[in-house]
Amino acid sequence: MSIWFGEPSLEWANSRDDTMIRAIGIEMTEVTDGSLKGRMPVDHRTRQPGGVLHGGASVAFAETLASWGASFTVDPATNYCVGMEINANHVRPVADGWVYGEAKPLTRGRTTQVWEIMITDAAGKLVCVSRCTMAVLAKPSEY
């Protein structure tokens, strides 16, 4: 059974040009019945001075997937979602190529959602595990 409200548009999500998401090359790649997947390059935009993927880039990637995932589960006419808290454990370095993320909700309540995000390298080895709490807020009145 699908968790999404309506049909999520990856094309629309990926078309947002004037954001950090675009600046560091994050792309949403697939919607399954219960998860949102994406990828992020490991290059000059996302590496730390030591030459490997910057932990902050991994966190930005994780929160991006959780934010879009949460947003795709609510009615955009009445609600929107924002991050409240995020944590991450960085377990393996990556020097180049791509990392791949998959975000799945652990709980989807009326006012909060908690998402787990697993980031892996091209070989499928775990690079980072993150958990992100999202607030579900009422859309401001357009009155």
Side-chain angles (χ1 to χ4, degrees), residues 67-82:
S67 292
W68 277 111
S71 295
F72 286 154
T73 68
V74 300
D75 180 351
T78 58
N79 294 99
Y80 68 105
C81 299
V82 297

Side-chain angles (χ1 to χ4, degrees), residues 60-106:
F61 183 31
E63 186 159 350
T64 298
L65 291 174
S67 292
W68 277 111
S71 295
F72 286 154
T73 68
V74 300
D75 180 351
T78 58
N79 294 99
Y80 68 105
C81 299
V82 297
M84 291 175 61
E85 188 274 341
I86 190 165
N87 66 53
N89 296 99
H90 309 289
V91 297
R92 174 174 280 105
V94 178
D96 57 22
W98 292 87
V99 288
Y100 302 87
E102 183 172 17
K104 295 180 181 180
L106 298 175

